């Protein structure tokens, strides 16, 4: 049975999309069949995997969410044989309004994914940096949540709101939802505050914090502009090693 992992944090700029793309690609390299879903209207995962959102605007998550398209018809083969994607489009913003009066509006994505869930080892959902209806749908569909955290004090302040939303979804809609773990991103070991925040995270959340740390890496930030995951852009860089290590840790936790 496939596992659905939502990657969520309502704070922008914490490496959420970078993690979605590169965790999915690393799992694919490790011979797992993976689907990555771009559930963010900004469509950064879509463009980061070399697809123009405008080219596929009739085959995106928006059409799936409003019931105009079967989920299988939205699947796109990426450059990697084991990696498929459901792209996003700015139209997804409108889905929140169109779903307001829908029955079981929080479960629309879950119902759409149910027929294909077992065809993949992992389904990775890149959530939008908000706690709106699309993100709630992603958390309802997910088995677990991975939370990227930039090691800055303001980033820690926003975690409470996200954890509150996760608890609400657990209590009201998806009682089996768990936290996959916290992944520290954009880490610079030369910065005292980064080490301090990492220490506080590990003290507070213990084993829920992944051992793998995603280090700040120029090649990692360049890769999306070339429409490639880091493993295809620069196989030898630290970013590739970090995300392969994260993928292996995810596999160990789910063995």
């Amino acid at each position: 049975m496939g596992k659905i992992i939502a990657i969520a944090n309502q704070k922008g700029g914490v490496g959420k999309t970078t993690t979605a793309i590169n965790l999915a690609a690393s799992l694919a390299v490790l011979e797992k069949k993976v689907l990555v879903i771009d559930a963010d209207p900004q469509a950064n995962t879509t463009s980061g995997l070399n697809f123009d959102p405008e080219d596929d605007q009739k085959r995106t998550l928006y059409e799936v969410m409003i019931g105009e398209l079967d989920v299988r018809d939205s699947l796109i083969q990426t450059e990697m044989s084991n990696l498929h994607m459901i792209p996003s489009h700015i139209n997804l913003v409108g889905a929140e309004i169109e779903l307001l009066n829908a029955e079981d509006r929080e479960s629309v994505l879950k119902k759409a994914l149910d027929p294909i869930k077992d065809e993949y080892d992992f389904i990775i959902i890149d959530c939008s940096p908000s706690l709106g209806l699309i993100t709630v749908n992603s958390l309802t569909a997910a088995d677990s949540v991975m939370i990227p955290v930039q090691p800055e004090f303001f980033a820690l302040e926003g975690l409470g709101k996200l954890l509150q939303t996760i608890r609400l979804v657990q209590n009201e809609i998806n009682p089996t939802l768990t936290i996959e773990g916290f992944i520290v991103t954009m880490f610079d070991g030369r910065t005292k505050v980064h080490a301090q925040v990492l220490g506080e995270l590990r003290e507070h959340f213990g084993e829920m914090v992944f051992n793998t740390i995603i280090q700040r890496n120029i090649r990692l930030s360049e890769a999306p502009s070339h429409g490639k995951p880091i493993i295809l852009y620069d196989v030898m860089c630290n970013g590739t090693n970090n995300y392969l290590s994260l993928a292996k840790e995810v596999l160990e936790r789910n063995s």
Side-chain angles (χ1 to χ4, degrees):
M1 178 178 283
K3 181 166 190 179
I4 301 179
I5 301 175
I7 299 182
N9 193 326
Q10 83 278 11
K11 188 179 188 304
V14 297
K16 183 176 52 58
T17 295
T18 300
T19 296
I21 291 172
N22 292 300
L23 174 59
S26 297
L27 288 167
V29 164
L30 296 172
E31 301 186 340
K32 299 299 176 184
K33 191 169 183 187
V34 185
L35 169 63
V36 61
I37 300 174
D38 192 348
D40 185 348
Q42 296 177 77
N44 290 331
T45 292
T46 301
S47 57
L49 285 171
N50 205 29
F51 290 93
D52 184 345
E54 296 301 327
D55 288 347
D56 292 292
Q57 59 180 310
K58 296 299 182 186
R59 290 180 56 205
T60 73
L61 185 63
Y62 168 72
E63 284 77 28
V64 173
M65 293 288 289
I66 63 170
E68 285 187 359
L69 188 71
D70 183 83
V71 69
R72 292 185 193 280
D73 296 325
S74 70
L75 300 174
I76 290 176
Q77 176 67 58
T78 71
E79 207 175 334
M80 305 177 75
S81 59
N82 283 337
L83 181 60
H84 292 161
M85 177 178 67
I86 297 178
S88 186
H89 189 270
I90 190 63
N91 288 348
L92 191 60
V93 170
E96 300 228 353
I97 299 167
E98 294 182 53
L99 291 173
L100 276 178
N101 297 317
E103 188 178 348
D104 293 331
R105 61 185 183 183
E106 298 88 358
S107 304
V108 171
L109 182 57
K110 181 183 188 311
K111 290 175 181 175
L113 293 178
D114 277 346
I116 63 167
K117 180 177 179 180
D118 291 344
E119 296 173 18
Y120 294 92
D121 296 302
F122 289 94
I123 297 176
I124 308 293
I125 306 177
D126 180 20
C127 299
S128 66
S130 73
L131 297 177
L133 184 56
I134 301 299
T135 297
V136 171
N137 261 268
S138 300
L139 296 177
T140 302
D143 298 301
S144 66
V145 191
M146 182 181 290
I147 304 170
V149 182
Q150 188 179 0
E152 308 282 353
F153 284 113
F154 287 130
L156 289 180
E157 287 183 0
L159 283 180
K161 188 84 185 259
L162 176 61
L163 294 173
Q164 187 178 356
T165 301
I166 291 170
R167 279 195 295 272
L168 190 65
V169 171
Q170 288 170 327
N171 292 337
E172 301 292 334
I173 313 167
N174 185 2
T176 61
L177 181 67
T178 62
I179 294 178
E180 187 76 22
F182 297 86
I183 176 70
V184 174
T185 60
M186 303 183 216
F187 183 81
D188 187 343
R190 300 166 299 177
T191 306
K192 187 176 179 181
V193 70
H194 282 205
Q196 195 173 343
V197 172
L198 174 61
E200 289 189 14
L201 264 175
R202 286 190 164 150
E203 183 179 342
H204 191 72
F205 294 107
E207 292 182 358
M208 293 172 71
V209 181
F210 282 96
N211 293 323
T212 300
I213 293 169
I214 309 301
Q215 296 166 308
R216 194 179 292 278
N217 182 255
I218 295 296
R219 303 296 276 172
L220 199 54
S221 60
E222 290 173 351
S225 65
H226 295 268
K228 293 181 182 292
I230 188 61
I231 201 162
L232 295 184
Y233 181 64
D234 186 346
V235 73
M236 302 301 290
C237 75
N238 281 338
T240 295
N241 292 332
N242 290 167
Y243 275 107
L244 277 173
S245 175
L246 176 62
K248 289 172 183 173
E249 200 171 343
V250 167
L251 291 177
E252 286 171 12
R253 291 187 177 204
N254 291 280
S255 58

